[in-house]
Amino acid sequence: MSELATVGIDLAKSVFQIHGVDENGLVLVRRQLRRSQLLAFFQKRPRCLIGMEACAGAHDWGRRLQELGHDVRLMPPSYVKPYVKRGKTDAA
């Protein structure tokens, strides 16, 4: 089984969307996690690249994930906007 290479996180108030792909771009993970489940999910995973939209909460989550050994990259909201398909729900 392939390992996660890149993970995108859509941060929200209580439920986060996780989208993970391997080095070939094959989708391995697409699920929702509650706030309390996020760190436990990434503790079990090997080191990977994590991307998320920069906001006040993203900086805190980024520091926590870096402590687990992951490479975290924050993107400006203007770079994320083209990926939003319908309204506010990015998972659609």
Side-chain angles (χ1 to χ4, degrees):
M1 181 175 167
S2 300
E3 293 184 356
L4 289 176
T6 306
V7 178
I9 302 176
D10 180 22
L11 299 175
K13 199 171 215 176
S14 59
V15 178
F16 303 148
Q17 290 285 340
I18 306 294
H19 182 84
V21 297
D22 65 2
E23 60 278 350
N24 297 321
L26 180 68
V27 177
L28 299 178
V29 176
R30 184 180 290 155
R31 61 187 288 197
Q32 292 182 349
L33 293 176
R34 297 209 168 274
R35 181 179 289 269
S36 60
Q37 299 171 324
L38 187 68
L39 290 178
F41 175 81
F42 282 106
Q43 283 176 343
K44 300 174 187 174
R45 303 291 183 258
R47 186 179 187 277
C48 63
L49 174 64
I50 300 173
M52 64 182 90
E53 182 178 359
C55 64
H59 294 282
D60 181 49
W61 285 111
R63 284 190 295 270
R64 291 182 188 191
L65 293 169
Q66 282 179 336
E67 289 173 0
L68 298 176
H70 297 285
D71 183 19
V72 179
R73 308 260 174 96
L74 301 179
M75 295 177 279
S78 61
Y79 288 8
V80 177
K81 186 66 178 167
Y83 297 102
V84 178
K85 294 179 183 171
R86 292 183 238 145
K88 292 187 72 159
T89 55
D90 300 343

